[in-house]
Amino acid sequence: YQKRWVKLDADYLRYFDSEKDAYSKRFIPVSSISRITSVGDQKFEVITNNRNFVFRAESDADRNEWIRTLQQITEERKSKALERTLMCPTTNGAADPADKSGFLELRGFKHKLFVAVAGDKVFLYKNAEDYRLGIGITYIEMNVGNVKEVDRRGFDLTTPYRIFSFSADSDQEKEEWVEAMQQSIAEALSNSEVAERIWVVESNRFCADCGSPKPDWASINLCVVICKRCAGEHRGLGPGITKVRSLKMDRKVWTEELIELFHQIGNAVANQFWAANVPPSEAITPASGSRERRRFLIAKYREGKYRRYHPLFGNQEELDRALCVAVTTSDLAETQALLFCGAAVTCATGDPQCPTPLALAEKSGQRLQMEFLLHNKNSERAGLPSTILCRAEFSRRWCTLQDGVLSYYENDRNAVPNGEIKMEEIVCLPHPTARGRPGSPFPPSRRIESTFEVYIESERLYLFGLESPDSAREWLKSIAKSFVHPRAEELLALDFERIGRLHYKGGLNLERAKEGWFALAGSTLHVCFEDSERQEPLQLRKLQELCAGVWGGAAGPRPAEARLAGRTLYIQGERKLDFLGWVHAIQKAAGSAGDTLSEQQLTESDVPLLVDRCIDYITQCGLTSEGIYRKSGQNSKTTSLLEMLRRDARSVRLKEGEHQVDDVANTLKRFFRDLGDGLFTRRWGQDWLRATALEDEEVKIGEYRRLLGTLPTVNRATLKALINHLFRVQRFSGENQMNTHNLAIVFGPTLFQTDGKDYKAGRVVEDLISHYVKIFNVNDQEMKKQQDEIMAIMKMREAASSGTQQAGDFICTVYLEEKKTEAEQHVKIPATMTAEELTFEILDRRKIVMKEKDYWSCFEVNEREEA
């Protein structure tokens, strides 16, 4: 006897190697059992029509319990056995007629197995005789199955518990097996309960796009019910636009909230927005072909051609603000209109407790608003071009690049090309994208490992796929060499992510846009300007400001504006498709990319912008704050502020009254404590700690200076900025109670990321502050400048606290648009007033209302009237 774990249910008696196994060694249909008898101590025999099985229980009592239960179930099933639908006259183990049966090879078995696909199960038998008798090895519930083709004859049936690797006799046989198993999966998942509930609403009984009756598919983010043929075309638009699910098969996705959402929005409300202006000549019907459907759905959902525009369309700030209000109400139609007219689903609300619209909806108890926002979290907004292909697979073509023309043929024997791309038409080439890489907008295809895109002047995009990244890179380099202007050839030597031509404006001459060649490599944008012989690298992480342009409809594009120290560059595209690609790529490259110092947004002096923002705020508002850096701020506010600064420090403005000094101080400390590789680096950190043991003070200072020189540029600049700041803080220890020693106790463990038990960490920081001038080679002029800055800040704060006019206030003459007496305004300008605040002050005085797409600039003019 072999010990086995045995299970009995209404249909089968099965035994397993152990109780943990999901699939049996053998199964016996209850309907095939004729009788059960006792055969001695602890033993009993299960007799079927053609075979007997002997079992031995742990005890006589167990044996008797098994016999009693088996006899009871057998009697109940005898009357039903003859009613089964069978493939042959004898009883079959499959509960349903076999949709497909035959022999397959299965990895792990020496001989072929007889396999039967029946209903929502796949049955495995040792041979055809066992199949006829209905006594098999195991069966697989297909509601947890997934079928995947592996090679010409092989395919895998994957479940959470095991992978069954099958091999058929031929390619055609494999295709038939795969299709049969996929149909079995569909049947296992099929359930009409959801469909019946969705169809309760009259408008949901007909396809939202073509009007076909009883549609059993849906787009869960657009909240429309659609037919099977339209669902296929929806999938071609990609999940960024429409997320297609079955009403009958995708049971898990259909929560009560989602079903209720389809009752509230559904086809009627959705089409009042999406199909508000459909010309009869462009509408589709149930009889429409695939091409017509695709054209219509692209226009309807990707381009938003027929939608009812929201009055705030084009005004991003107002759209976001309106969305924050709408999600706190039950007005789902308003939320839909705002979201698909450009409102950002993750826009900042201005409320630290509820930073996103989703949090506002949750706070307001709006369950359906939450459900709608969740399903549209990653949706693309209509009207913005999507580069998702309308086909799920690549078409294999033979390509040649010759005499400035890229031609593609049906195969290498054809003499006439299917199409051609002239090199002078190309405007942009993005870097090859690895298969399945996050952010790649294209669907993966079998054997396609890398792709690259070609954008041309006529707003068309081509996607080419190859079997290896090296091949894709080689093609890309060859194409780039053919279309890039000779004066920009040095860009080809870069490991670029994107290369192409754009128009730009810069300097004092903003009258005419010039054509330049741009290449993005890492966080650097390399530019070959029209009037320059060499390319100029622009470090995007050092941008002082980045204003991402948007497409302005009939008026054309608004330029993306990049402001670096001492200059502003306006980049403008003529074509919507490649221009938005550049904008997104530049935004990503200009942001923080990781948790090390060098991956942060930087100032011109190589200090992380996050550090600079915090230091600047504390210098202005917290030098005299008692216990600065020793006191902890609120944890939730610190976490929120650090997250915002890490995401985009360039867009964060720390303001007194809105932000507390201790919260900002805590944010700075946490940034350094969580810093990848640390401020002193893992390589050199121990050397800094060992330097504290040097007894000779001058020798120790010299060692600190040597170690300072070994640090990466950004680490060295950041350390100097921080120690300079702490040097300032300890100068006010009489007010803030934070002398050099106290600051060292706080910052030692923070900067060295230790538990605080090693005193040497604090000693390093104390030495750096005490010998700041010598270690960092600070000259007298730099010290005087720092002292003057501190005195100016202190005077301004004293004046503010006493209620008197702030030091530095002055009366200035400002002219509106032209230097004429009637355009003159006299304004008192405090030292803290920004150019933006001054501009609004003048416009308010003259009662000028800011119109949509208005841009106002403020220029300071010196005595020689030079801007």
Side-chain angles (χ1 to χ4, degrees):
Y1 288 89
Q2 292 179 316
K3 197 166 187 176
R4 294 286 185 260
W5 181 260
V6 183
K7 289 183 180 179
L8 173 65
D9 57 33
D11 296 310
Y12 300 100
L13 175 66
R14 295 178 291 165
Y15 58 82
F16 304 75
D17 276 335
S18 74
E19 61 182 299
K20 295 180 180 178
D21 287 354
Y23 298 107
S24 62
K25 299 282 288 183
R26 204 72 161 163
F27 68 81
I28 306 163
V30 171
S31 58
S32 71
I33 299 173
S34 57
R35 58 194 175 96
I36 304 99
T37 61
S38 174
V39 292
D41 293 344
Q42 303 173 6
K43 300 174 188 175
F44 65 95
E45 189 174 26
V46 175
I47 302 169
T48 69
N49 297 335
N50 299 86
R51 193 173 299 177
N52 298 348
F53 298 85
V54 179
F55 295 86
R56 187 171 71 188
E58 296 281 346
S59 65
D60 286 342
D62 280 347
R63 187 254 335 258
N64 295 337
E65 180 66 16
W66 274 103
I67 291 174
R68 185 188 63 78
T69 306
L70 277 165
Q71 287 175 336
Q72 181 181 341
I73 291 179
T74 303
E75 289 299 319
E76 291 174 356
R77 291 302 301 268
K78 271 185 179 179
S79 60
K80 299 178 182 179
L82 296 176
E83 299 172 6
R84 288 184 176 273
T85 307
L86 306 174
M87 285 297 292
C88 53
T90 54
T91 303
N92 190 298
D96 298 307
D99 301 306
K100 182 169 178 60
S101 60
F103 287 96
L104 286 172
E105 293 177 9
L106 175 60
R107 188 182 298 164
F109 287 80
K110 291 182 180 179
H111 305 289
K112 288 184 178 180
L113 298 183
F114 195 89
V115 181
V117 180
D120 59 358
K121 295 182 181 68
V122 171
F123 294 81
L124 306 183
Y125 301 85
K126 282 188 175 181
N127 49 52
E129 177 63 12
D130 277 5
Y131 166 65
R132 190 182 67 80
L133 298 173
I135 298 172
I137 299 170
T138 192
Y139 62 83
I140 304 155
E141 301 273 7
M142 295 300 277
N143 62 331
V144 293
N146 182 44
V147 184
K148 179 183 177 183
E149 296 183 42
V150 176
D151 53 36
R152 192 170 61 84
R153 295 191 300 114
F155 63 97
D156 286 347
L157 171 54
T158 305
T159 75
Y161 319 105
R162 180 178 170 183
I163 297 175
F164 297 86
S165 296
F166 293 103
S167 183
D169 289 335
S170 67
D171 188 28
Q172 183 180 347
E173 270 285 297
K174 179 203 69 176
E175 297 294 340
E176 291 175 5
W177 278 106
V178 169
E179 183 180 357
M181 290 191 183
Q182 286 175 338
Q183 289 176 352
S184 179
I185 292 171
E187 184 169 339
L189 298 174
S190 180
N191 188 326
S192 60
E193 179 189 351
V194 171
E196 295 294 343
R197 293 181 64 184
I198 295 291
W199 292 339
V200 165
V201 178
E202 177 70 25
S203 63
N204 292 344
R205 296 176 193 171
F206 301 91
C207 176
D209 298 323
C210 73
S212 294
K214 290 196 172 181
D216 52 4
W217 292 81
S219 170
I220 59 173
N221 64 311
L222 301 176
C223 292
V224 291
V225 189
I226 53 181
C227 67
K228 186 176 182 179
R229 293 189 68 189
C230 286
E233 301 304 333
H234 268 257
R235 285 198 190 92
L237 297 177
I241 293 178
T242 174
K243 300 173 184 176
V244 182
R245 297 293 184 273
S246 170
L247 298 185
K248 294 184 176 180
M249 291 183 286
D250 298 317
R251 285 178 289 182
K252 290 185 179 179
V253 76
W254 292 103
T255 61
E256 287 300 317
E257 286 79 9
L258 185 57
I259 292 173
E260 192 176 342
L261 193 62
F262 270 72
H263 287 170
Q264 296 293 323
I265 299 181
N267 291 356
V269 175
N271 272 341
Q272 285 173 11
F273 172 77
W274 289 108
N277 303 293
V278 179
S281 60
E282 296 185 23
I284 59 174
T285 68
S288 297
S290 296
R291 183 176 295 179
E292 291 174 278
R293 290 174 194 267
R294 187 180 307 125
R295 173 195 54 74
F296 177 75
L297 296 178
I298 288 173
K300 183 176 180 180
Y301 298 114
R302 179 184 286 176
E303 299 172 358
K305 182 178 179 180
Y306 312 125
R307 66 185 157 176
R308 175 177 54 80
Y309 283 89
H310 195 281
L312 298 176
F313 179 77
N315 190 328
Q316 188 66 52
E317 188 176 343
E318 290 299 323
L319 282 168
D320 291 347
R321 189 178 295 123
L323 179 65
C324 292
V325 174
V327 297
T328 63
T329 72
S330 59
D331 193 346
L332 291 162
E334 175 71 1
T335 300
Q336 174 189 244
L338 288 165
L339 204 57
F340 291 113
C341 279
V345 72
T346 56
C347 65
T349 64
D351 183 352
Q353 302 301 319
C354 301
T356 64
L358 182 62
L360 285 175
E362 183 176 13
K363 182 181 179 182
S364 304
Q366 295 294 335
R367 294 180 305 111
L368 299 187
Q369 293 279 12
M370 290 173 62
E371 187 77 8
F372 187 68
L373 292 173
L374 283 169
H375 286 297
N376 283 286
K377 195 171 183 180
N378 300 312
S379 295
E380 297 176 18
R381 285 167 283 178
L384 298 183
S386 167
T387 51
I388 295 175
L389 291 180
C390 292
R391 295 184 58 188
E393 293 290 334
F394 288 88
S395 298
R396 196 171 183 86
R397 296 288 182 266
W398 179 262
C399 299
T400 64
L401 178 59
Q402 189 174 7
D403 299 328
V405 179
L406 176 62
S407 306
Y408 49 95
Y409 301 79
E410 192 68 32
N411 54 56
D412 58 352
R413 296 183 300 276
N414 281 40
V416 180
N418 288 18
E420 295 180 338
I421 305 171
K422 294 179 180 178
M423 293 297 103
E424 61 265 24
E425 295 177 342
I426 298 177
V427 294
C428 181
L429 285 175
H431 183 281
T433 55
R435 181 186 180 188
R437 188 183 78 176
S440 175
F442 300 99
S445 180
R446 189 154 47 102
R447 297 186 300 276
I448 298 298
E449 294 298 330
S450 191
T451 63
F452 65 88
E453 300 151 31
V454 177
Y455 294 81
I456 65 173
E457 291 176 339
S458 61
E459 283 282 5
R460 190 170 179 185
L461 165 63
Y462 292 85
L463 175 67
F464 293 89
L466 292 102
E467 296 175 2
S468 74
D470 290 341
S471 299
R473 189 70 187 173
E474 188 177 340
W475 269 99
L476 189 78
K477 284 285 189 180
S478 298
I479 295 172
K481 190 174 181 180
S482 300
F483 96 94
V484 171
H485 194 279
R487 65 181 170 83
E489 277 188 347
E490 59 181 315
L491 298 179
L492 299 174
L494 300 169
D495 186 21
F496 57 82
E497 298 165 27
R498 195 178 192 91
I499 191 169
R501 52 187 164 99
L502 290 165
H503 287 85
Y504 70 91
K505 296 179 183 179
L508 296 177
N509 183 12
L510 301 179
E511 297 290 329
R512 182 180 69 87
K514 302 176 182 178
E515 185 178 83
W517 290 88
F518 294 73
L520 182 62
S523 62
T524 305
L525 183 64
H526 300 264
V527 188
C528 282
F529 294 110
E530 189 177 275
D531 48 3
S532 176
E533 294 183 0
R534 295 192 59 80
Q535 63 99 352
E536 183 177 340
L538 306 178
Q539 178 49 257
L540 295 177
R541 290 211 184 109
K542 289 188 178 182
L543 289 180
Q544 293 181 357
E545 191 173 353
L546 175 64
C547 299
V550 297
W551 202 260
R558 298 181 196 168
E561 178 184 333
R563 186 161 64 87
L564 298 99
R567 69 184 301 179
T568 299
L569 183 67
Y570 298 90
I571 302 171
Q572 186 170 334
E574 293 180 356
R575 303 148 211 93
K576 184 164 42 175
L577 204 58
D578 68 293
F579 174 66
L580 287 173
W582 276 106
V583 169
H584 296 152
I586 290 172
Q587 283 177 323
K588 183 179 179 181
S592 297
D595 61 356
T596 63
L597 281 175
S598 61
E599 294 173 306
Q600 308 301 308
Q601 293 172 325
L602 302 173
T603 65
E604 191 60 27
S605 55
D606 288 313
V607 177
L609 204 54
L610 183 154
V611 174
D612 185 71
R613 288 272 197 268
C614 292
I615 286 177
D616 185 59
Y617 178 82
I618 293 170
T619 300
Q620 292 192 46
C621 306
L623 285 179
T624 59
S625 177
E626 186 175 342
I628 181 68
Y629 290 118
R630 187 181 69 241
K631 290 181 180 178
S632 295
Q634 290 186 30
N635 190 52
S636 60
K637 291 185 177 180
T638 298
T639 301
S640 175
L641 181 56
L642 182 58
E643 185 180 329
M644 286 193 296
L645 286 165
R646 275 180 171 157
R647 191 185 308 120
D648 185 13
R650 198 177 288 115
S651 65
V652 178
R653 296 289 183 268
L654 300 175
K655 295 182 180 179
E656 192 171 9
E658 291 183 20
H659 301 93
Q660 301 303 312
V661 168
D662 291 330
D663 294 334
V664 178
N666 210 33
T667 298
L668 184 63
K669 288 190 297 180
R670 189 181 294 183
F671 170 75
F672 281 115
R673 176 167 286 281
D674 297 343
L675 194 62
D677 199 37
L679 178 59
F680 293 97
T681 73
R682 293 188 182 92
R683 179 181 178 184
W684 299 105
Q686 292 302 314
D687 289 23
W688 283 89
L689 296 175
R690 281 192 287 270
T692 60
L694 297 172
E695 296 182 1
D696 188 297
E697 206 69 17
E698 290 301 319
V699 173
K700 183 162 62 174
I701 290 172
E703 178 64 5
Y704 283 141
R705 292 178 66 173
R706 184 190 72 80
L707 290 171
L708 187 64
T710 65
L711 291 178
T713 302
V714 176
N715 295 58
R716 186 164 59 249
T718 305
L719 180 60
K720 180 178 180 180
L722 178 64
I723 299 301
N724 167 251
H725 171 63
L726 298 181
F727 180 77
R728 295 183 181 193
V729 173
Q730 60 85 31
R731 295 281 294 272
F732 292 87
S733 58
E735 291 90 343
N736 61 35
Q737 307 301 309
M738 293 300 289
N739 56 29
T740 301
H741 182 68
N742 290 341
L743 288 170
I745 291 173
V746 172
F747 274 92
T750 297
L751 299 183
F752 283 93
Q753 300 175 336
T754 65
D755 56 10
K757 295 179 180 178
D758 190 346
Y759 72 92
K760 293 192 289 293
R763 181 67 62 83
V764 172
V765 176
E766 191 167 353
D767 287 343
L768 290 175
I769 298 173
S770 300
H771 302 292
Y772 163 68
V773 175
K774 286 187 177 180
I775 294 173
F776 293 95
N777 286 325
V778 183
N779 57 39
D780 292 341
Q781 184 178 356
E782 195 172 345
M783 284 297 294
K784 184 177 185 305
K785 180 182 176 183
Q786 292 178 14
Q787 188 62 34
D788 290 344
E789 286 176 1
I790 293 174
M791 293 304 297
I793 291 169
M794 297 312 297
K795 284 181 180 179
M796 189 165 61
R797 293 192 66 78
E798 287 173 9
S801 60
S802 64
T804 60
Q805 178 178 304
Q806 290 187 7
D809 285 9
F810 62 96
I811 305 297
C812 182
T813 302
V814 180
Y815 295 93
L816 183 65
E817 295 191 300
E818 52 188 347
K819 191 176 179 181
K820 292 183 178 179
T821 305
E822 57 269 25
E824 184 178 281
Q825 292 286 320
H826 300 288
V827 185
K828 183 176 77 170
I829 301 181
T832 57
M833 178 178 272
T834 65
E836 181 183 34
E837 291 168 341
L838 175 58
T839 302
F840 282 127
E841 171 80 13
I842 296 297
L843 294 178
D844 287 343
R845 286 191 182 195
R846 298 301 294 266
K847 294 183 172 54
I848 295 175
V849 179
M850 283 276 287
K851 296 179 181 177
E852 187 180 342
K853 300 178 183 178
D854 272 359
Y855 287 88
W856 289 89
S857 299
C858 180
F859 295 90
E860 184 177 357
V861 180
N862 63 19
E863 291 177 354
R864 294 191 300 275
E865 297 191 0
E866 297 173 346

